[in-house]
Amino acid sequence: MADSGEASADVGSSLPKSWKIALAIGAPIAIGVAVGAFYYSRRRSDLSSGEKGGKTQTKGKAKQGEPTAHAAAADERTPEEKAQGSKNKGNKYFKAGRYEQAIACYNEAIELVPLDKTKDLSTFYQNRAAAHEQLKNYAQVVTDCTKALELNARYVKALFRRAKAFENMNQKMACLEDTTAVCILENFSHNQSMLLADKMLKELGKEKAQQRYKERVPSLPSGQFIRSYFSSFSDDGISRSSNDYNDEGAGDVGNTGYRKAHRLFTNGDYNGVIEACDEEINTDGDKLAEALLMRATFYLLMGQAAEARPDLDRLIGMDESSKKLRANALIKRGSMHMQEGNSSDAMNDFATAVRIDPDNADIYHHRGQLNLLLDRIDDAAQDFEKCNKLNSNFALAHAQYSYAKYRLALVHQSPMQLHTAMQELENSTKKFPTCAEAFALYAQAQSDQGQFHVADEYFQKAIALEPDNPTAYVHRGLLHLSWKKDADGAIAMIQKALEIDSKCDFAYETLGTIEVQRGNMSAAKSYFEKAIDLARTEMEMSHLFSLSVAAEAQRNVTTKYNITPPSPIL
Ligand SMILES: *[C@@H]1O[C@H](CO)[C@@H](O)[C@H](O)[C@H]1NC(C)=O
Ligand SMILES: *[C@@H]1O[C@H](CO)[C@@H](O)[C@H](O)[C@H]1NC(C)=O
Ligand SMILES: *[C@@H]1O[C@H](CO)[C@@H](O)[C@H](O)[C@H]1NC(C)=O
Ligand SMILES: *[C@@H]1O[C@H](CO)[C@@H](O)[C@H](O)[C@H]1NC(C)=O
Ligand SMILES: *[C@@H]1O[C@H](CO)[C@@H](O)[C@H](O)[C@H]1NC(C)=O
Ligand SMILES: *[C@@H]1O[C@H](CO)[C@@H](O)[C@H](O)[C@H]1NC(C)=O
């Protein structure tokens, strides 16, 4: 399981993104997707080349042992035997915790051993590295391990020891490369190296994201994305064209401030919205609360959490303004906390929203999605249920309630519940025949169940209902990948998503994971880089950087150790 704190909650966890999250949770992120896929393919490929080196050396050593029979009791030991003797002495000191003495013995062994006994020599260097490790001489550990590896390139112990030394020296990339090599050489069965790789990927992802996020140029996502985000609220107090401002005052008041912002918004002219809100806010207009909420929402859509926060804080603190607006601000601030990895702050905001406006269906709808994200399926189902009770016409929430029940049936491993949940999902497509998400969620569940034909049919229906939504194409591509193992076909479908929305980071991320699965690490890395350029939040970036660096490390390792890239599994 992925650790949910890392999963990227999107700006409003609008539905399309929540599948992305569901997928991320279904398959462990970072190490799971990138390294794990490699593992899968690796198992099916031939590792014989990897094994040869070791075996021949072992044989050689056995032969070398023969002359020992000649040697009498007298001290006529060969240099090689003397070296072994020093090493054994060193090992005894090592076990007794006397590392300086152990090092002296290994020095002796290294001096004595004939240069052609490369296997022995590399062992002595590795042992000396182990002693230096105990003394925290990490630079020495690296030097000795490097010597050991020059003599025996696939010496896993030396590789892992060097990885740990690099970790201690805070050389994360070098650490990652070595620990990735261990993962691959050991078929991903070396738990400690898997954990270390995972840790490095997370830390590197975080570091790189911190840097990149500062440099990014904020831009609005596609119009489709913005509309889909707003449609994840049944009533936010700003996006519906309620009459509250048209009716009042003279006709032309609509040309400034919030009124202008709202008109631009309604016309899909999103670029001027923030500026028009600025006007309202700077002049302390009568639509201050609405303007704050609208501006904060657009900042969030552009991934500018720091700019959104003061507006949300201010609105939430305005006791006199409408509870609907304040509850909506709390939902958005809560989702923001979630993106920052602070789920307790997120849940606090949702709890406050419930206190302020207990019958607001949107609160439960969005909290349900966060609970789904946190793998609290029971809580999610309860939230969606409440949302449905409050607003039975909220198609999206209805479909998600059914989907949560489906997930719950999986958790409970109950065939009965599963059957009912599948029926309900199907029913929700009948009840809401124009709700694309209902079709897509049903398709997703059918796909999980291996019912690929039905799944494909419903994904196609979802696409027909919402042809400008790129995510459905990506999901259909993924379906084809599991169904027909046809990477090129899947890629073609996903390319279609990019034709529709060239800013669809989800499509780029998915293309990257497909390339990882067929061992095409350079291509994978460049897709992940494209997704990074489009990512809106630092956490999303961090996750994508982890994937990108994982692909890079695997590319480096397969090249360096001349491991044939896994035979394509797709
Ligand atoms: C790794 O897996 C391959 C194929 O299953 C096998 O031939 C090889 O011996 C394994 N190597 C190790 C180090 O476990
Ligand atoms: C490695 O992890 C696997 C799966 O999590 C576990 O079954 C196994 O006991 C672990 N091995 C070690 C040596 O920790
Ligand atoms: C969440 O934020 C609060 C303060 O706002 C802080 O006390 C807490 O430690 C944070 N939790 C995490 C997991 O970052
Ligand atoms: C689905 O709809 C059918 C027909 O309307 C109905 O008989 C059935 O009880 C519904 N199933 C569920 C689980 O809601
Ligand atoms: C690797 O990726 C590139 C770019 O996507 C693609 O053209 C090429 O066919 C891929 N190669 C393999 C072996 O999958
Ligand atoms: C991959 O190799 C390049 C060139 O040697 C190096 O700069 C980079 O740090 C390596 N990346 C990783 C993740 O190992």
Side-chain angles (χ1 to χ4, degrees):
M1 275 288 135
D3 89 67
S4 348
E6 284 274 327
S8 48
D10 196 50
V11 65
S13 29
S14 61
L15 187 66
K17 269 297 160 66
S18 72
W19 308 335
K20 170 180 170 181
I21 288 150
L23 287 175
I25 286 176
I29 54 170
I31 188 161
V33 175
V35 183
F38 192 101
Y39 173 40
Y40 178 59
S41 40
R42 194 73 200 129
R43 290 184 82 87
R44 310 165 107 238
S45 69
D46 189 4
L47 218 143
S48 51
S49 63
E51 286 296 285
K52 267 178 206 147
K55 273 177 199 146
T56 15
Q57 275 174 353
T58 325
K59 257 187 223 149
K61 195 180 164 194
K63 260 187 213 147
Q64 291 300 331
E66 281 164 25
T68 344
H70 273 303
D75 191 12
E76 284 170 3
R77 294 183 303 169
T78 63
E80 192 194 351
E81 286 162 342
K82 285 183 191 158
Q84 285 294 340
S86 299
K87 183 203 78 175
N88 292 339
K89 217 160 83 187
N91 288 357
K92 277 188 194 140
Y93 279 125
F94 186 94
K95 281 196 189 118
R98 298 168 69 179
Y99 305 115
E100 305 279 5
Q101 287 91 336
I103 288 169
C105 293
Y106 297 138
N107 287 344
E108 221 170 77
I110 290 165
E111 289 282 308
L112 287 165
V113 74
L115 282 175
D116 63 330
K117 297 288 169 284
T118 51
K119 181 81 198 290
D120 291 339
L121 189 52
S122 77
T123 307
F124 304 157
Y125 279 123
Q126 200 286 135
N127 287 10
R128 193 168 74 181
H132 279 302
E133 182 182 48
Q134 293 296 327
L135 298 171
K136 301 194 173 16
N137 297 332
Y138 297 119
Q140 267 304 313
V141 176
V142 169
T143 308
D144 277 349
C145 288
T146 302
K147 281 186 183 139
L149 288 162
E150 275 161 13
L151 297 161
N152 179 6
R154 295 178 180 217
Y155 194 172
V156 166
K157 255 190 189 172
L159 266 171
F160 189 57
R161 200 171 304 292
R162 192 170 68 177
K164 287 186 292 178
F166 279 135
E167 184 197 6
N168 279 300
M169 295 161 80
N170 200 27
Q171 294 189 29
K172 296 195 176 80
M173 280 296 233
C175 171
L176 177 66
E177 191 171 307
D178 280 350
T179 195
T180 301
V182 175
C183 288
I184 293 174
L185 293 171
E186 292 283 288
N187 284 354
F188 295 87
S189 60
H190 192 285
N191 289 5
Q192 286 174 299
S193 74
M194 303 264 285
L195 289 173
L196 185 54
D198 195 41
K199 185 176 170 201
M200 286 304 112
L201 287 174
K202 281 188 180 138
E203 289 182 9
L204 283 163
K206 205 169 166 181
E207 272 177 17
K208 285 167 177 278
Q210 261 167 10
Q211 183 62 30
R212 181 70 69 87
Y213 185 75
K214 276 190 223 136
E215 294 163 3
R216 83 187 260 284
V217 181
S219 74
L220 276 175
S222 70
Q224 190 282 137
F225 186 97
I226 294 173
R227 284 188 292 280
S228 142
Y229 174 67
F230 276 97
S231 73
S232 72
F233 297 94
S234 62
D235 189 3
D236 58 7
I238 51 173
S239 63
R240 308 293 130 154
S241 56
S242 52
N243 294 326
D244 21 315
Y245 63 89
N246 287 333
D247 287 348
E248 58 189 58
D252 64 349
V253 283
N255 288 329
T256 57
Y258 178 72
R259 290 162 179 83
K260 179 178 175 192
H262 194 277
R263 202 190 61 240
L264 290 171
F265 171 80
T266 311
N267 294 341
D269 225 349
Y270 302 122
N271 280 317
V273 170
I274 287 185
E275 207 183 323
C277 289
D278 287 345
E279 203 178 25
E280 186 82 26
I281 294 163
N282 295 340
T283 59
D284 242 337
D286 62 325
K287 293 288 177 189
L288 176 62
E290 284 85 351
L292 284 170
L293 184 56
M294 184 70 99
R295 187 169 75 175
T297 307
F298 272 82
Y299 279 139
L300 285 175
L301 283 163
M302 296 203 293
Q304 292 177 279
E307 283 78 3
R309 189 188 299 267
D311 285 352
L312 293 174
D313 288 349
R314 183 166 170 201
L315 173 56
I316 290 162
M318 284 166 57
D319 288 339
E320 72 285 4
S321 60
S322 112
K323 56 184 186 174
K324 191 193 291 168
L325 295 175
R326 288 166 63 216
N328 191 267
L330 280 158
I331 294 171
K332 285 168 181 163
R333 195 174 69 180
S335 303
M336 211 168 83
H337 286 311
M338 189 72 183
Q339 281 163 17
E340 287 159 0
N342 199 325
S343 57
S344 62
D345 272 12
M347 287 302 163
N348 281 340
D349 272 350
F350 278 92
T352 310
V354 168
R355 269 199 304 280
I356 293 179
D357 196 11
D359 292 336
N360 183 332
D362 289 338
I363 303 170
Y364 306 99
H365 174 219
H366 284 265
R367 190 171 66 183
Q369 298 200 58
L370 295 197
N371 275 323
L372 218 48
L373 197 80
L374 293 166
D375 246 354
R376 297 176 187 155
I377 317 282
D378 260 311
D379 293 341
Q382 276 176 31
D383 279 335
F384 290 134
E385 183 181 12
K386 176 91 183 172
C387 177
N388 268 292
K389 272 202 193 118
L390 290 167
N391 182 356
S392 59
N393 290 320
F394 194 178
L396 197 57
H398 189 277
Q400 287 196 318
Y401 183 30
S402 308
Y403 186 72
K405 281 193 266 189
Y406 157 74
R407 291 276 304 271
L408 212 50
L410 293 182
V411 172
H412 296 163
Q413 298 185 313
S414 155
M416 275 282 287
Q417 275 183 31
L418 186 64
H419 181 74
T420 314
M422 292 301 279
Q423 252 191 10
E424 248 183 71
L425 274 167
E426 188 182 4
N427 283 1
S428 74
T429 65
K430 291 182 182 142
K431 191 168 173 207
F432 299 105
T434 59
C435 177
E437 287 82 358
F439 287 83
L441 284 174
Y442 182 51
Q444 189 60 49
Q446 287 287 5
S447 170
D448 292 351
Q449 298 300 310
Q451 301 298 314
F452 299 125
H453 274 288
V454 187
D456 197 40
E457 185 192 325
Y458 277 81
F459 273 133
Q460 278 178 277
K461 285 179 183 167
I463 289 170
L465 283 168
E466 229 179 70
D468 63 344
N469 182 349
T471 52
Y473 294 90
V474 179
H475 285 285
R476 189 161 175 240
L478 284 169
L479 166 73
H480 273 254
L481 197 62
S482 7
W483 183 8
K484 307 205 161 140
K485 311 279 175 254
D486 168 20
D488 290 325
I491 288 170
M493 278 180 199
I494 297 168
Q495 293 288 1
K496 227 180 218 148
L498 289 169
E499 279 166 32
I500 290 163
D501 178 3
S502 60
K503 289 181 171 181
C504 182
D505 52 333
F506 178 39
Y508 283 118
E509 178 182 351
T510 307
L511 287 172
T513 56
I514 291 174
E515 293 298 358
V516 165
Q517 287 180 60
R518 57 176 182 179
N520 205 345
M521 297 300 169
S522 301
K525 186 173 160 55
S526 61
Y527 282 130
F528 292 138
E529 294 292 334
K530 287 204 171 109
I532 288 165
D533 287 339
L534 294 165
R536 269 173 302 276
T537 70
E538 198 174 317
M539 254 178 101
E540 244 174 19
M541 277 190 183
S542 164
H543 165 67
L544 290 164
F545 267 117
S546 295
L547 293 176
S548 166
V549 174
E552 184 185 323
Q554 288 178 36
R555 184 198 59 195
N556 281 5
V557 167
T558 46
T559 311
K560 192 163 163 184
Y561 296 87
N562 194 23
I563 299 169
T564 21
S567 48
I569 54 165
L570 299 169

